């Protein structure tokens, strides 16, 4: 296991957080990188696709508009990043440019750009490059004369915080990458959301304040307002933190370094004597979740206003406190001659890096600039500006423009250029030997599967420094700046279908090694998706060494969700009622109607127990029981069994609402735990009400499925709606509320398999695969969600993230020798012989309750007859469908069953 680190062994790749193109890591110890941004265009009729990897996308939280115009998509991304392509769509009529990057050595990469002219006339095409140096190290310090008056947030004397225990993982890991302020570490991700939060300081003021002010340096993304109190030597001052609409670390259309998102809040504190000073900071009547969170960098005492503070506003720019080095990485032109440009990358405190870019087919012209490279391109090509460019403050860059190349009508033409670093040094660099590529996807939804694979691999950024060494990290889409943990687990679930080694690393990324004092890395919504990935990886590979190596981290993650790690308050009352709302305001489903309403009613403060979380914890209890059984940890297996029994009883006996025929939520009241009623219904009128099926609770499956397939309520031609379309709270322009999400279909698909509803499960899988495929075919758009009333894809472009859940659904029916079993059926060994079309399995199911189970298998050959033997005896003969898929009905294994599948003709001949 390697917490917070992906060891890709690759220094070239699509690592930029901003640009389409290729990046090269120059210094892996300090995270210094060079980005080569690539744009492609046509002279007439004029058109260009800028190297902006989110295409100016932004979310309009007022109108709900989350549409993007996708200008390019990744293709053929190799799992070792030795090659990848980007297809640029120059118009809607078929003109494209396919840029194929091939890494030839540590020092050299090549790009072949194939322009496709779909018109009946000759056309001229162009490409452009930008070379940008990226040095993540801060160049900001506090003004020296202010240092004696500065109180760093993390240097507190004591802290009493409802989130304190989880804050260890949060503060010491993820908030390090948020630190673009004065201090190296900020105080906490969600400090101030709960009653009882209080942080105390003891400092020595170097002088008396006659007209004192306290300047708070902070960021606040949460939208819930409440007062705060600061006590200085026991004297209280009440104030409020205005919302800044940003989080440290950038994202959501913000500048990628997010420096400008920090604010100074001026609060008058009056006369304060010199010497030892006690400070207490606490929220007043907080809402009971992190919607009021602040990130606090520090506090500054000042006698009178700071220089430059005119007093017109209480909210001020942090530049009043800071010194800027004025020295940054830059790119200088050394020479240009015809088709070759030679440049030098200058980085403070690092050796210079020389790079040569040589075009084989067209001369190059250079230009230089600083600030936003993409804004410069927008201006040059007459494109409208966007509200905020994510590269607004990059260092001086160099641009290269090709001369036009003529492509005859209805034909293609390929031009090439090479990028060579340190061309004068000895040797050509370490040669790159590409790994064998996974088998390409098959079947009617092969395009969706292929593009999703590429999106998962392409959505990798660099650097993130969590434990002293910069690392690449997977993101849901390039629009998102951080390794969100609930998306991160599903990224590993998707990778497990075609790149198991990357899946192992991605799963381990979030698990805490023994040396860490936090339960796991967490970012965003606390949902244990890494444990789903862990099980999928094992079922696909039967790698017990992987399970053994990651078990301690998995156990710590699991124990946190059961309230067993030191100080965890998920199981605050010790009765199995689990809630993670102290840690985040949502469970991934941002605008879930009950979640939003409960927040407004302050139910989260009392204790809110959702049908989103409880079934998922029940499922991981059963997964961990399987893992412990495989690793012969009998005491652990028994603990997990008892946990599962407790959670199953709560779900079926206390969360089931007989009147609505749906599972619902619970809330702690003065009289005990009671159902949450919204719109006069104690059942959850969202697809989350079906999640107990995913956990294996099938007692009420008939009533649940009846509602799931009702076209007036949940079923649409595009998939199952996330919210009951007949509910008063349904919002056709919402985010989750009013949309179809691929990941929800995965939960339902797995739940239907557990419920012995294999036909309906396949219908759910193929419907959502078809929806994503049609969207890509018409708009090249892989987004987050599909809006029902618009019948259009929405959300961040080239999104992998949660949509990675489509890949195991596709693999179950269309990938040869893929085996999909129920969660309680363990695949202990698997051996395929493609030449003889044979598959051998050893399966066990010590915890399977039913007398029989279904096994999904793809044998690759269409409409072929297969003989199935069980423990050496004839079991059945089955015929595969048009895509090679079989559904095998097998009895519950008594201990370990040997299953053999082979062509019936081969079996009869052998027999």
């Amino acid at each position: 296991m390697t917490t917070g680190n992906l060891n890709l062994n690759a220094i070239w790749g699509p690592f930029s957080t901003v640009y389409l193109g290729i990046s090269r890591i120059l210094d892996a110890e300090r995270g210094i990188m060079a980005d080569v941004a690539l744009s492609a265009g046509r002279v007439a009729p004029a058109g260009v696709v800028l190297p902006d990897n989110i295409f100016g996308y932004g979310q309009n939280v007022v109108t709900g508009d989350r549409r993007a115009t996708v200008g390019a998509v990744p293709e053929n991304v190799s799992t070792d990043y030795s090659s990848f392509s980007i297809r640029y769509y120059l118009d809607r009529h078929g003109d494209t440019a396919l840029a194929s990057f091939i890494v030839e050595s540590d020092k050299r990469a090549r790009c072949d750009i194939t322009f496709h002219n779909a018109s009946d006339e000759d056309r001229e095409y162009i490409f452009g490059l930008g070379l940008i140096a990226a040095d993540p190290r801060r160049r900001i310090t506090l003004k020296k004369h202010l240092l004696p008056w500065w109180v760093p947030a993390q240097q507190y004397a004591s802290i009493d915080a409802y989130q304190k225990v989880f804050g260890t993982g949060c503060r010491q890991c993820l908030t390090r990458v948020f630190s673009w302020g004065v201090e190296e570490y900020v105080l906490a991700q969600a400090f101030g959301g709960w009653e009882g939060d209080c942080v105390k300081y003891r400092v020595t003021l170097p002088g008396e304040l006659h007209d004192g002010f306290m300047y708070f340096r902070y960021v606040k993304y949460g939208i819930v307002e409440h007062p705060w109190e600061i006590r200085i030597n026991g004297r209280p001052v009440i104030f409020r933190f205005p919302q800044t609409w940003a989080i440290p670390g950038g994202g959501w259309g913000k500048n990628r370094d997010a420096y400008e998102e920090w604010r100074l809040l001026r609060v008058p504190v009056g006369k304060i004597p010199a010497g030892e000073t006690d400070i207490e900071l606490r929220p007043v009547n907080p809402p009971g979740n992190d919607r009021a969170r602040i990130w606090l960098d520090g506090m500054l005492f000042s006698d009178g206003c700071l220089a430059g503070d005119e007093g017109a506003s209480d909210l001020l720019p942090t530049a009043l406190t800071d010194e800027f080095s004025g020295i940054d990485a830059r790119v200088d032109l050394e020479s240009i001659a015809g088709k070759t440009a030679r440049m030098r990358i200058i980085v403070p405190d690092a050796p210079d890096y020389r790079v040569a870019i040589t075009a084989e087919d067209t001369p190059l012209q250079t230009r230089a600039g600083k600030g936003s490279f993409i804004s410069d391109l927008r201006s040059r090509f007459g494109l409208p500006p966007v509200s905020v460019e994510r590269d607004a403050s990059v260092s001086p860059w160099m641009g290269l423009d090709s001369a036009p190349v003529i492509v005859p009508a209805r034909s293609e033409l390929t031009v090439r250029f090479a990028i060579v670093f340190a061309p004068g040094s000895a040797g050509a660099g370490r040669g790159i030997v590409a790994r064998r590529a996974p088998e390409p996807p098959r079947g009617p939804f092969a395009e969706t599967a292929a593009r999703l694979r590429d999106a998962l691999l392409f959505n990798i950024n660099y650097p993130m420094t969590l434990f002293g060494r910069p690392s690449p990290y997977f993101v849901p889409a390039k629009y998102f700046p951080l390794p969100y943990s609930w998306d991160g687990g599903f990224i590993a679930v998707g990778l497990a279908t075609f790149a198991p080694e990357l899946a192992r690393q991605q799963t381990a990324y979030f698990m805490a090694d023994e040396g860490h004092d936090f339960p796991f890395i967490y970012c965003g919504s606390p949902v244990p998706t890494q444990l789903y990935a862990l099980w999928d990886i094992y079922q696909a590979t039967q790698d017990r060494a992987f399970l053994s190596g990651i078990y301690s981290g998995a156990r710590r993650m699991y124990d946190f969700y059961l309230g067993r790690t030191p100080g965890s308050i998920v199981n605050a009352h010790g009765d199995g009622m689990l809630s993670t709302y102290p840690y985040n305001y949502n469970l991934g489903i941002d605008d879930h109607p009950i979640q939003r309403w409960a927040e407004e009613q302050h139910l989260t403060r009392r204790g809110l127990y959702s049908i989103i979380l409880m079934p998922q914890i029940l499922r991981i209890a059963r997964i961990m029981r399987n893992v412990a059984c495989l690793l012969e940890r009998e005491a652990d297996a028994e603990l997990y069994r008892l946990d599962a029994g407790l959670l199953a009883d709560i779900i079926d006996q206390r969360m089931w609402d007989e009147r609505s025929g749906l599972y619902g939520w619970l809330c702690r009241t003065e009289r005990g735990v009671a159902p949450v009623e919204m719109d006069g219904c104690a059942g959850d009128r969202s697809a989350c009400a079906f999640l107990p099926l995913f956990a294996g609770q099938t007692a009420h499956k008939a009533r649940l499925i009846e509602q799931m397939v009702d076209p007036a309520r949940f079923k649409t031609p595009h998939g199952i709606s996330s919210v009951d379309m007949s509910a008063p709270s349904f919002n056709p322009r919402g985010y989750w509320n009013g949309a179809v999400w691929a990941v929800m279909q995965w939960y339902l698909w797995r739940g239907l398999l557990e419920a012995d509803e294999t036909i309906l499960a396949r219908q759910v899988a193929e419907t959502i695969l078809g929806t994503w495929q049609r969207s890509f075919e018409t708009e090249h758009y892989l987004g987050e969600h599909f809006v029902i009333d618009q019948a259009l894809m929405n959300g961040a472009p080239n999104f992998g993230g949660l949509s990675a859940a489509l890949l195991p659904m596709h693999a179950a029916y269309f990938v040869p020798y893929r085996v999909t079993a129920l969660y309680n059926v363990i695949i202990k060994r698997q051996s395929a012989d493609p030449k003889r079309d044979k598959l051998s399995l050893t399966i066990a199911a010590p915890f399977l309750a039913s007398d029989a189970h279904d096994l999904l298998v793809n044998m690759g050959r269409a409409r072929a007859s297969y003989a199935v033997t069980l423990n050496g005896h004839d079991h059945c003969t089955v015929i595969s469908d048009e895509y090679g898929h079989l559904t095998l009905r097998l009895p519950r294994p008594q201990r370990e069953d040997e299953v053999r599948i082979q062509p019936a003709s081969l079996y009869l001949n052998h027999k």
Side-chain angles (χ1 to χ4, degrees):
M1 277 178 53
T2 309
T3 307
N5 184 63
L6 296 177
N7 183 21
L8 300 184
N9 195 30
I11 62 173
W12 295 89
F15 300 140
S16 175
T17 60
V18 178
Y19 304 112
L20 293 170
I22 191 169
S23 302
R24 186 183 186 275
I25 298 170
L26 302 177
D27 187 330
E29 297 298 323
R30 290 184 280 188
I32 301 170
M33 183 171 71
D35 296 328
V36 180
L38 174 65
S39 59
R42 187 180 57 209
V43 175
V48 65
V49 177
L50 303 185
D52 175 7
N53 59 26
I54 66 168
F55 318 111
Y57 171 76
Q59 294 185 359
N60 189 321
V61 296
V62 177
T63 66
D65 181 29
R66 295 179 173 87
R67 290 277 292 160
T69 300
V70 179
V73 300
E75 293 184 6
N76 303 316
V77 184
S78 65
T79 57
D80 59 358
Y81 297 99
S82 60
S83 63
F84 63 92
S85 300
I86 304 171
R87 186 176 296 275
Y88 296 75
Y89 296 99
L90 304 181
D91 63 20
R92 292 182 174 273
H93 308 292
D95 271 21
T96 63
L98 180 65
S100 299
F101 293 94
I102 302 96
V103 178
E104 297 179 337
S105 74
D106 285 354
K107 295 181 179 181
R108 178 184 173 91
R110 189 182 82 242
C111 182
D112 300 345
I113 308 176
T114 300
F115 293 105
H116 176 76
N117 181 357
S119 74
D120 293 324
E121 59 185 9
D122 296 353
R123 286 179 169 176
E124 292 182 315
Y125 297 84
I126 56 173
F127 67 89
L129 302 171
L131 182 63
I132 303 101
D135 180 2
R137 297 172 298 166
R138 274 188 296 113
R139 305 288 175 187
I140 304 167
T141 56
L142 196 69
K143 291 178 179 178
K144 291 183 179 179
H145 72 279
L146 298 177
L147 282 170
W149 305 94
W150 174 252
V151 182
Q154 85 278 14
Q155 292 183 11
Y156 50 80
S158 65
I159 182 169
D160 298 314
Y162 200 67
Q163 296 208 36
K164 180 181 177 182
V165 296
F166 198 97
T168 304
C170 217
R171 289 194 287 267
Q172 293 191 6
C173 296
L174 289 177
T175 51
R176 290 185 178 182
V177 303
F178 295 148
S179 279
W180 299 98
V182 172
E183 293 302 317
E184 186 177 7
Y185 307 132
V186 296
L187 172 63
Q189 177 177 350
F191 176 72
W194 291 83
E195 197 71 43
D197 287 2
C198 180
V199 60
K200 300 177 182 180
Y201 299 86
R202 176 164 290 180
V203 299
T204 301
L205 292 184
E208 182 180 11
L209 301 183
H210 301 278
D211 181 21
F213 289 93
M214 177 78 85
Y215 287 87
F216 293 89
R217 186 187 182 107
Y218 80 102
V219 169
K220 179 183 175 186
Y221 181 68
I223 63 175
V224 177
E225 282 286 341
H226 64 83
W228 287 73
E229 177 187 86
I230 186 166
R231 287 180 175 264
I232 302 177
N233 294 329
R235 179 167 52 86
V237 176
I238 302 296
F239 66 100
R240 291 175 181 268
F241 283 104
Q243 186 171 359
T244 63
W245 272 117
I247 64 171
W252 294 281
K254 304 296 182 184
N255 184 334
R256 67 176 173 178
D257 67 7
Y259 168 75
E260 295 178 356
E261 307 308 333
W262 288 91
R263 293 290 183 271
L264 289 176
L265 174 66
R266 181 198 333 107
V267 175
V269 294
K271 187 174 182 178
I272 302 174
E276 191 170 271
T277 303
D278 290 321
I279 305 167
E280 297 182 17
L281 177 66
R282 60 170 56 87
V284 178
N285 193 30
N289 63 35
D290 71 342
R291 299 281 273 184
R293 60 189 173 183
I294 62 165
W295 285 265
L296 183 63
D297 190 41
M299 298 168 285
L300 181 71
F301 285 98
S302 178
D303 194 16
C305 293
L306 288 174
D309 178 1
E310 304 298 332
S313 171
D314 294 335
L315 201 60
L316 305 159
T318 53
L320 296 179
T321 64
D322 297 342
E323 294 281 6
F324 300 88
S325 70
I327 302 173
D328 211 341
R330 70 179 191 272
V331 181
D332 287 348
L333 178 67
E334 291 192 326
S335 67
I336 183 166
K339 300 175 183 178
T340 298
R342 300 185 185 278
M343 291 156 285
R344 182 170 56 156
I345 297 173
I346 301 171
V347 181
D349 306 320
D352 291 354
Y353 305 91
R354 284 179 166 77
V355 57
I357 297 180
T358 301
E360 293 186 10
D361 311 278
T362 172
L364 298 173
Q365 294 181 336
T366 63
R367 53 195 176 82
K370 61 181 179 179
S372 171
F373 175 66
I374 295 178
S375 284
D376 176 80
L377 291 175
R378 290 190 196 281
S379 176
R380 290 185 64 224
F381 290 102
L383 300 176
V386 296
S387 57
V388 179
E389 289 289 8
R390 294 176 301 146
D391 67 338
S393 60
V394 299
S395 55
W397 45 262
M398 287 298 305
L400 301 173
D401 296 322
S402 76
V405 295
I406 300 173
V407 181
R410 301 286 176 183
S411 64
E412 295 181 343
L413 180 69
T414 298
V415 298
R416 297 174 175 84
F417 67 86
I419 311 162
V420 181
F421 278 82
S425 63
R430 178 177 61 94
I432 302 297
V433 179
R435 292 180 191 163
R436 180 181 176 184
E439 291 294 325
R442 300 168 27 154
F445 310 110
E447 184 75 5
T448 293
R451 297 291 74 78
L452 268 173
R453 286 183 180 185
D454 290 328
L456 290 187
L457 295 169
F458 190 79
N459 290 332
I460 189 164
N461 289 349
Y462 180 88
M464 177 170 288
T465 305
L466 298 184
F467 305 107
R469 182 177 175 84
S471 170
Y473 59 101
F474 285 107
V475 290
K478 290 292 189 177
Y479 173 71
F480 297 94
L482 300 170
Y484 291 94
S485 45
W486 109 284
D487 291 84
F490 278 108
I491 289 170
V493 166
L495 290 171
T497 65
F498 70 99
E501 178 52 37
L502 284 179
R504 292 182 186 96
Q505 290 201 47
Q506 173 67 359
T507 302
Y509 184 96
F510 295 92
M511 304 287 187
D513 291 329
E514 292 287 355
H516 295 298
D517 58 353
F518 53 87
F520 57 92
I521 291 181
Y522 149 79
C523 177
S525 303
V527 187
T529 55
Q530 287 72 28
L531 298 182
Y532 307 152
L534 174 152
W535 189 242
D536 277 10
I537 292 166
Y538 171 77
Q539 291 286 74
T541 64
Q542 294 80 56
D543 185 351
R544 289 186 61 181
F546 166 70
L547 284 187
S548 180
I550 205 171
Y551 180 77
S552 63
R555 171 69 189 262
R556 295 177 75 189
M557 176 179 284
Y558 173 84
D559 280 349
F560 168 81
Y561 284 105
L562 270 292
R564 295 194 182 109
T565 54
S568 169
I569 54 168
V570 176
N571 189 9
H573 295 269
D575 56 2
M577 297 288 180
L578 308 179
S579 176
T580 56
Y581 286 110
Y583 303 104
N584 197 50
Y585 75 95
N586 79 57
L587 282 154
I589 303 176
D590 304 62
D591 54 348
H592 187 288
I594 295 179
Q595 190 170 254
R596 285 285 177 89
W597 175 79
E599 179 188 331
E600 294 169 2
Q601 301 299 313
H602 287 230
L603 300 186
T604 52
R605 178 187 299 182
R606 304 175 198 169
L608 182 66
Y609 312 110
S610 77
I611 201 62
I612 306 174
L613 182 69
M614 290 287 285
Q616 298 198 66
I617 305 306
L618 173 54
R619 174 47 64 203
I620 66 168
R622 288 170 168 164
I623 286 173
M624 291 298 288
R625 182 185 59 184
N626 290 347
V627 173
C629 179
L630 279 164
L631 298 180
E632 299 178 352
R633 295 175 177 262
E634 296 180 3
D636 288 0
E638 177 61 13
L639 175 66
Y640 302 139
R641 187 190 68 80
L642 293 173
D643 290 342
L646 173 63
L647 296 175
D649 286 346
I650 293 172
I651 291 169
D652 270 349
Q653 296 176 18
R654 306 193 65 177
M655 305 185 87
W656 173 253
D657 178 50
E658 182 64 25
R659 181 181 174 189
S660 65
L662 295 167
Y663 288 92
W665 298 42
L666 301 173
C667 178
R668 198 169 295 273
T669 70
E670 294 177 356
R671 298 181 301 276
V673 176
V676 174
E677 292 194 15
M678 181 178 177
D679 297 333
C681 180
D684 182 353
R685 296 183 68 176
S686 83
C688 298
F690 308 135
L691 288 179
L693 295 176
F694 168 74
Q697 300 304 104
T698 60
H700 302 293
K701 75 170 187 176
R703 294 191 68 186
L704 294 172
I705 292 172
E706 178 185 7
Q707 299 178 73
M708 185 192 303
V709 299
D710 184 348
R713 300 186 61 190
F714 287 99
K715 186 179 181 181
T716 79
H718 319 294
I720 304 298
S721 172
S722 294
V723 174
D724 183 345
M725 295 177 288
S726 68
S729 54
F730 179 75
N731 177 10
R733 299 305 306 277
Y735 188 47
W736 278 80
N737 186 359
V740 171
W741 283 73
V743 70
M744 181 58 74
Q745 315 306 298
W746 176 85
Y747 281 109
L748 300 180
W749 172 70
R750 294 272 357 186
L752 290 167
L753 292 177
E754 296 292 322
D756 199 20
E757 297 287 341
T758 55
I759 295 175
L760 181 55
R762 183 164 185 173
Q763 291 173 1
V764 167
E766 293 192 348
T767 297
I768 194 64
L769 286 165
T771 297
W772 254 243
Q773 178 123 325
R774 287 188 297 274
S775 175
F776 187 83
E777 289 172 348
T778 56
E779 298 185 284
H780 325 298
Y781 198 165
L782 292 179
E784 298 175 65
H785 59 293
F786 195 87
V787 175
I788 296 168
D789 75 333
Q790 297 175 326
L792 289 172
M793 187 68 72
N794 269 241
N798 291 325
F799 183 80
L802 300 176
S803 297
L806 291 171
L807 289 173
M809 288 191 276
H810 174 270
Y813 302 106
F814 305 110
V815 173
Y817 306 108
R818 174 79 175 190
V819 179
T820 302
L822 301 187
Y823 275 114
N824 282 345
V825 176
I826 303 171
I827 305 172
K828 303 192 78 170
R829 286 176 289 277
Q830 178 175 336
S831 175
D833 182 354
K835 291 183 178 180
R836 303 182 68 188
D837 197 17
K838 295 175 63 175
L839 182 66
S840 301
L841 303 169
T842 303
I843 59 174
F847 308 110
L848 185 66
S850 58
D851 292 331
H853 65 100
D854 289 316
L855 207 62
L856 307 186
V857 181
N858 188 287
M859 295 298 292
R861 285 203 304 149
R863 297 187 177 89
S865 179
Y866 288 93
V868 181
T869 63
L870 185 62
N871 298 322
H873 302 289
D874 293 352
H875 178 66
C876 66
T877 300
V878 291
I879 298 176
S880 62
D881 70 9
E882 59 185 313
Y883 305 110
H885 175 75
L886 311 169
T887 298
L888 301 182
R889 187 71 172 172
L890 300 172
R892 180 177 60 211
Q894 296 304 306
R895 191 167 181 273
E896 290 188 0
D897 278 0
E898 303 293 330
V899 181
R900 301 288 184 268
I901 308 168
Q902 58 187 311
S905 58
L906 181 66
Y907 175 69
L908 290 172
N909 289 338
H910 176 73
K911 193 174 180 181

